[in-house]
């Protein structure tokens, strides 16, 4: 395996671990408590409390895992090291050249 493949495999493995940690954080965010009856003959009830810090931690872990997956895919799809996957288009190709009339405008010295 080459260096890029090893890097993307490590990123995918890290994303899987972070996803498992995110599920653990998400399930740790919920705490259920049992309460007895308020009055004699009344039914007992359960209360559920959600911890925002655990939910935020799970969201952060999912975000980082997603970024790692995106980068791993980019490593696989990109061309040779240091070269973009597709050639970039020049402004002339997009008809975005800074022109007035038929000749280019020179901006040197203009303020």
């Amino acid at each position: 395996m080459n260096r890029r493949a090893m890097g993307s495999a490590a990123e995918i493995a890290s994303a899987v671990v972070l996803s498992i940690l995110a599920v653990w954080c998400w399930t740790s965010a919920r705490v259920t408590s049992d309460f007895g009856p308020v009055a004699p003959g009344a039914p007992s009830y359960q209360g559920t409390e959600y911890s925002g810090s655990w939910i935020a931690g799970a969201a952060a872990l999912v975000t980082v895992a997603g970024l790692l997956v995106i980068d791993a895919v980019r490593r696989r799809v990109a061309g040779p090291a240091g070269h973009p996957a597709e050639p970039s288009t020049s402004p002339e190709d997009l008809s975005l050249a800074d022109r007035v009339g038929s000749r280019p405008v020179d901006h040197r010295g203009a303020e």
Side-chain angles (χ1 to χ4, degrees):
M1 288 179 88
N2 63 10
R3 190 175 193 156
R4 277 189 356 199
M6 292 282 290
S8 65
E11 286 179 333
I12 294 293
S14 299
V16 169
V17 170
L18 290 177
S19 298
I20 292 169
L21 285 174
V23 169
W24 179 75
C25 287
W26 187 266
T27 57
S28 298
R30 183 178 57 187
V31 177
T32 304
S33 302
D34 293 322
F35 295 97
V38 178
S44 60
Y45 64 94
Q46 287 185 337
T48 304
E49 176 186 358
Y50 294 94
S51 174
S53 58
W54 283 105
I55 293 173
L61 288 169
V62 166
T63 301
V64 172
L67 290 173
L68 286 173
V69 168
I70 289 170
D71 191 52
V73 170
R74 182 201 55 85
R75 285 178 188 252
R76 294 277 185 175
V77 174
H83 294 86
E86 296 178 6
S88 60
T89 56
S90 66
E92 289 80 20
D93 293 341
L94 297 174
S95 299
L96 297 175
D98 190 10
R99 297 175 191 240
V100 175
S102 60
R103 8 177 237 158
V105 176
D106 186 15
H107 293 286
R108 282 181 265 158
E111 291 188 28

